[in-house]
Amino acid sequence: MHHTRPAAALAVLSMSACLLAGCSTGPEGDSGRAQASPVAARAAHTPHIRLNAADGQKHVSVRRGGRVTVAAGKITKVSLATANGRVVHGAVSSSGRTWAPDAVLDHDTAYRLTVVAAGAGGREATKGIAFTTVAASDRFTGTFTPGGGSTVGVGMPVSFTFDKAITDRKAVESAIEVGSSSGQAVVGHWFGPRRLDFRPQQYWKAHSVITVGIHLDGVKGAKGAYGEQDRTVRFTVGRGQVSTVDASAHRMTVVRDGKPLRTLLITAGAPNSTTWNGQMVISEKLTSTRMDGATVGFAGQYDIPDVPHAMRLSTSGTFVHGNYWGPDSVFGHSNISHGCVGLNDVKGGGDSHQDGAWFFDNSLVGDVVVVRNSDDRTIAPDNGLNGWNMSWDQWKAGSAR
């Protein structure tokens, strides 16, 4: 039986064919013949080999330096060997478009890489390079907090500390992407050449998920400083808790998700050792720790081996912690500490009903503690994770992007 195509289908097919052939219509409406350029036709079928190093390049990444990607074709042969002839084995992907070594390359080693690929119609392309990988001594690493998988408070910045001074701050900052499921814009700020923090304008939205993409592999941060890290980590923001200490009223009000949760009686810094004012972030929680005055400029004034329920607020030694050695009468009435915020507690910290234990159990790293009405200045933004004490304009001015 003879079938006739519908006219509409023929029209669509004709137009598709015309577009594919690059047709043109003359003044009389006649279709011109497709004039395919021989050069264009060759280019369309010639595979394109992409490598992660240039010929003669030094300081090449040990993770990416030997990898191969091919467009408009498939890999037919890869040869990767050290300058002294040791062969590096690898595998082609199922698509035939990528090849990777079985293991990372050696540091400070010369390699020769040759790739052959075939395109449609059997047209071949070959590319060969020689390169040298980065020396182990020329690496830099960024340690960061918080860790992947953790749950933190709304004030927790993403803070990187680099083991070498960074001179190309823009390259390093641009290789780290921090985003939030809340959609909040996140900006980096450099505290000197070794520290880079990221935060939004306001505290993180409660229950949001923060994604940190660390793509430093191959990034030159300074002379003799090349990154190798390439990973993505995620952490979760918990409920929103901000506690405000009124040093003159000797009280701390704990507010969770906008609602007052509890008011605790405290003792803050004595007149000759006042507590910093400002927004401080809990950076560490210690069930018990030793506090020696000699480490913070108060040698001989105290050395307590078992301070319970200690939560760090500054690098310089400010904590919120349980206090079992002060008489009950000082809490809510007078300031006797050497700069910390003290809560009533018992030796050993074993009584969960004590204020020190309660606050410890109900706090997360990343929670905010705001101190007001202390006879002292505002804490420095880089003393701990306390960049919230800068205006948003000041914070953005410290970005290298």
Side-chain angles (χ1 to χ4, degrees):
M1 183 180 289
H2 179 70
H3 293 279
T4 303
R5 289 186 180 179
L10 284 170
V12 171
L13 286 169
S14 298
M15 182 169 288
S16 300
C18 188
L19 290 171
L20 287 169
C23 304
S24 62
T25 304
E28 293 79 22
D30 295 332
S31 279
R33 287 186 178 180
Q35 298 294 325
S37 161
V39 174
R42 277 201 308 271
H45 298 302
T46 301
H48 175 68
I49 300 170
R50 187 167 69 246
L51 306 179
N52 288 312
D55 191 34
Q57 185 176 340
K58 300 183 185 303
H59 311 295
V60 173
S61 164
V62 296
R63 301 180 187 280
R64 295 186 300 113
R67 296 182 182 178
V68 178
T69 304
V70 169
K74 294 189 176 183
I75 297 166
T76 56
K77 183 180 180 182
V78 176
S79 171
L80 179 60
T82 62
N84 62 11
R86 180 170 54 81
V87 174
V88 178
H89 296 286
V92 181
S93 65
S94 58
S95 69
R97 299 183 183 277
T98 63
W99 183 93
D102 292 339
V104 296
L105 304 182
D106 293 332
H107 289 97
D108 198 16
T109 302
Y111 288 92
R112 179 77 193 179
L113 173 62
T114 304
V115 182
V116 182
R123 197 174 298 276
E124 281 195 342
T126 302
K127 194 169 187 178
I129 60 169
F131 63 89
T132 304
T133 53
V134 65
S137 58
D138 285 340
R139 296 176 294 175
F140 78 85
T141 300
T143 56
F144 56 91
T145 188
S150 56
T151 298
V152 299
V154 295
M156 188 69 185
V158 178
S159 182
F160 282 81
T161 301
F162 301 105
D163 60 356
K164 290 186 177 180
I166 302 300
T167 56
D168 193 340
R169 298 185 184 185
K170 183 176 182 179
V172 171
E173 185 178 339
S174 298
I176 301 171
E177 296 288 341
V178 182
S180 171
S181 62
S182 67
Q184 291 172 275
V186 184
V187 175
H189 182 97
W190 289 87
F191 291 110
R194 291 175 181 260
R195 178 174 167 187
L196 171 62
D197 285 15
F198 293 85
R199 72 165 176 89
Q201 183 172 2
Q202 307 294 337
Y203 299 145
W204 300 110
K205 301 293 185 185
H207 310 296
S208 53
V209 176
I210 314 303
T211 302
V212 185
I214 307 165
H215 306 302
L216 291 168
D217 191 18
V219 173
K220 183 179 181 181
K223 183 179 180 181
Y226 294 82
E228 284 192 346
Q229 292 162 288
D230 191 359
R231 59 185 298 205
T232 298
V233 297
R234 292 177 179 83
F235 63 90
T236 301
V237 179
R239 74 289 174 274
Q241 182 165 301
V242 178
S243 302
T244 301
V245 172
D246 185 331
S248 62
H250 319 293
R251 280 163 172 73
M252 176 168 67
T253 302
V254 182
V255 175
R256 181 175 292 178
D257 295 325
K259 298 177 181 178
L261 187 62
R262 191 163 170 176
T263 297
L264 304 172
L265 304 181
I266 62 100
T267 180
N272 62 346
S273 55
T274 47
T275 305
W276 301 110
N277 285 297
Q279 304 169 73
M280 292 174 253
V281 173
I282 296 174
S283 59
E284 183 180 24
K285 289 181 65 181
L286 303 166
T287 305
S288 178
T289 190
R290 178 185 177 186
M291 291 188 179
D292 183 357
T295 63
V296 288
F298 293 109
Q301 297 190 37
Y302 64 89
D303 185 1
I304 304 165
D306 56 351
V307 177
H309 300 127
M311 289 159 280
R312 181 181 290 276
L313 300 179
S314 77
T315 308
S316 62
T318 310
F319 284 78
V320 178
H321 62 74
N323 179 326
Y324 65 80
W325 52 92
D328 290 349
S329 59
V330 304
F331 299 98
H333 295 94
S334 58
N335 292 330
I336 64 165
S337 86
H338 287 82
C340 292
V341 175
L343 296 163
N344 210 347
D345 215 327
V346 295
K347 186 175 177 65
D351 183 353
S352 62
H353 298 291
Q354 296 291 320
D355 285 351
W358 181 89
F359 188 63
F360 187 90
D361 291 341
N362 283 276
S363 294
L364 292 171
V365 167
D367 281 351
V368 182
V369 176
V370 183
V371 176
R372 294 177 177 159
N373 299 324
S374 177
D375 188 19
D376 206 332
R377 61 185 184 275
T378 299
I379 192 167
D382 61 345
N383 184 3
L385 302 176
N386 297 325
W388 301 105
N389 295 290
M390 306 178 81
S391 71
W392 187 231
D393 284 343
Q394 288 174 317
W395 184 266
K396 291 189 296 183
S399 170
R401 288 192 182 184

